[in-house]
Amino acid sequence: MTERLVVFDLDGTLIDSAPDLHHALVDTFDRLGRPAPDLTTTISYVGHGAGMLMRRALAATGGSSRDEESAALKMFLAAYHRAGVARTCLYPGVAETLYELQQAGVTLAICTNKPQEPAIEVCEALGLAESMAVVLGAGSELPRKPDPTPLLHVVKSLNAASEDTVFVGDSVVDHQTAAAAGISFAFFTGGYINGEIGAPEPELQFETWGQDLAQEFIKLSC
């Protein structure tokens, strides 16, 4: 028997982490002597991982060499680690949704482009880790979303099947990942949307989290 599985993106889906990401970016760019992007612009860079965020921010402020980009990324990750979750929080209703899913026997997991170590640290700090069977962040072995490989890796590792799985995300990156994996997609419209979603139409769209939402996810995973 396969598991009913709901897999979540992290930043912009379960958590509002943009204030801490922006704070770390400001700290880094102050050290580099560059003007930092504002919060809205920083949010537009979220979704493809920390490396792409830094690449875009540097490109918007004069560009950089590969070595400069690598050094800036290390500074950014260090600043983000120092910030912890001082400005990061769960979206309202997330805890209630996760609780209802667990009560219904649904397996929960996270698949994010956030680097693995920060992803685990944030999940532990915000009480998400204990709810999740797997927290898979970006690393050296697997490609990043929208490549479907990491999402399919989570599904396989939990002995689930694609037809019994729902992927929940907030962006075109997540939508493309689910479509490429052949997995139902639930689109959170209150997150960090970074482009037009396009075809195929998400199986579910929702603006707020809450207990009733759990049943909608369960319907999609059956």
Side-chain angles (χ1 to χ4, degrees), residues 2-169:
T2 58
E3 297 279 354
R4 287 183 300 170
L5 174 62
V6 180
V7 185
F8 302 92
D9 173 52
L10 186 57
D11 298 270
T13 297
L14 294 177
I15 65 172
D16 181 8
S17 57
D20 275 318
L21 291 169
H22 181 245
H23 180 79
L25 196 60
V26 170
D27 181 282
T28 301
F29 274 51
D30 281 349
R31 294 170 186 269
L32 295 174
R34 295 187 183 215
D38 61 21
L39 177 60
T40 300
T41 303
T42 299
I43 289 173
S44 74
Y45 295 157
V46 174
H48 290 271
M52 182 61 73
L53 185 153
M54 180 54 64
R55 192 170 303 128
R56 288 172 170 172
L58 289 171
T61 56
S64 63
S65 67
R66 186 179 297 271
D67 287 345
E68 289 170 333
E69 181 182 309
S70 178
L73 178 59
K74 289 179 181 178
M75 292 170 61
F76 171 74
L77 291 175
Y80 186 57
H81 175 74
R82 289 193 300 272
V85 293
R87 303 162 188 82
T88 297
C89 61
L90 298 179
Y91 283 108
V94 164
E96 292 81 357
T97 304
L98 299 183
Y99 176 79
E100 290 299 321
L101 287 169
Q102 286 183 291
Q103 290 298 107
V106 178
T107 301
L108 309 179
I110 287 173
C111 181
T112 174
N113 277 343
K114 196 183 204 71
Q116 181 72 24
E117 185 176 348
I120 291 175
E121 289 176 352
V122 168
C123 286
E124 289 178 344
L126 295 178
L128 289 172
E130 60 192 31
S131 303
M132 302 297 162
V134 170
V135 176
L136 181 65
S140 59
E141 296 182 1
L142 297 173
R144 290 174 172 79
K145 300 179 299 182
D147 190 297
T149 303
L151 177 56
L152 291 172
H153 177 81
V154 170
V155 173
K156 183 177 180 180
S157 70
L158 294 172
N159 193 36
S162 295
E163 59 267 26
D164 301 315
T165 300
V166 179
F167 186 46
V168 185

Side-chain angles (χ1 to χ4, degrees), residues 187-209:
F187 175 38
F188 175 47
T189 61
Y192 305 154
I193 304 169
N194 56 15
E196 294 294 328
I197 290 297
E201 188 77 14
E203 284 79 357
L204 175 67
Q205 296 191 45
F206 64 101
E207 187 176 4
T208 58
W209 293 85

